[in-house]
């Protein structure tokens, strides 16, 4: 149904190394986090399997292991570029123009 009604859908697999995930879990624990230390590799494998099996053809992976949030966002924008529709590009240019006008 997704491909029928939303053919422009882009699937993004966001991942990191198990060590990085464990470190992040310790440094910034979620109050109701469900992922347990012992399950990290299993969950990574399952996400990878489902990503590979997906019928969504427009897709890419972001590995955040050694990246900051800002670097990951830049990587995201670069990887998304080929998937933007003309209206998306127009909206981004419009937003940039308006922001620059407000800052004047």
């Amino acid at each position: 149904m997704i491909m029928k009604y939303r053919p422009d859908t882009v699937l993004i697999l966001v991942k990191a190394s198990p060590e990085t995930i464990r470190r992040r879990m310790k440094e910034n624990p979620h109050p109701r986090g469900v992922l347990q230390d012992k399950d990290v590799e299993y969950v990574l494998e399952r996400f990878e399997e489902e990503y590979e099996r997906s019928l969504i053809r427009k897709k890419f992976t972001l590995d955040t292991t050694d990246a900051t949030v800002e670097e990951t966002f830049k990587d995201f924008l670069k990887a998304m570029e080929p998937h933007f529709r003309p209206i998306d590009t127009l909206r981004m240019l419009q937003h940039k123009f308006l922001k620059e006008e407000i800052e004047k």
Side-chain angles (χ1 to χ4, degrees):
M1 287 184 73
I2 288 175
M3 297 316 298
K4 180 179 178 183
Y5 295 107
R6 303 301 292 180
D8 293 330
T9 298
V10 179
L11 178 63
I12 306 161
L13 176 63
V14 181
K15 64 182 184 177
S17 70
E19 298 78 23
T20 300
I21 292 172
R22 285 189 178 93
R23 179 179 49 78
R24 290 174 181 168
M25 288 170 56
K26 287 179 185 172
E27 290 174 356
N28 189 18
H30 291 273
R32 293 181 299 273
V34 295
L35 181 61
Q36 295 181 10
D37 191 87
K38 66 181 178 61
D39 298 324
V40 170
E41 283 84 2
Y42 174 74
V43 170
L44 284 169
E45 288 172 18
R46 289 294 298 125
F47 269 95
E48 186 81 37
E49 288 171 12
E50 293 302 324
Y51 173 84
E52 293 299 326
R53 292 172 53 190
S54 174
L55 298 177
I56 298 172
R57 294 294 164 230
K58 296 177 182 182
K59 58 187 179 179
F60 60 89
T61 301
L62 291 174
D63 189 331
T64 68
T65 299
D66 298 313
T68 64
V69 172
E70 292 79 13
E71 291 167 335
T72 301
F73 184 64
K74 285 180 184 176
D75 291 344
F76 165 78
L77 289 177
K78 185 176 179 181
M80 275 299 296
E81 258 182 57
H83 305 294
F84 289 142
R85 300 170 298 163
I87 190 70
D88 299 325
T89 304
L90 180 59
R91 285 180 182 148
M92 287 185 287
L93 290 171
Q94 198 173 31
H95 176 75
K96 181 179 178 183
F97 173 78
L98 290 172
K99 183 179 176 185
E100 289 171 357
E101 286 298 308
I102 290 171
E103 291 175 352
K104 283 185 181 178

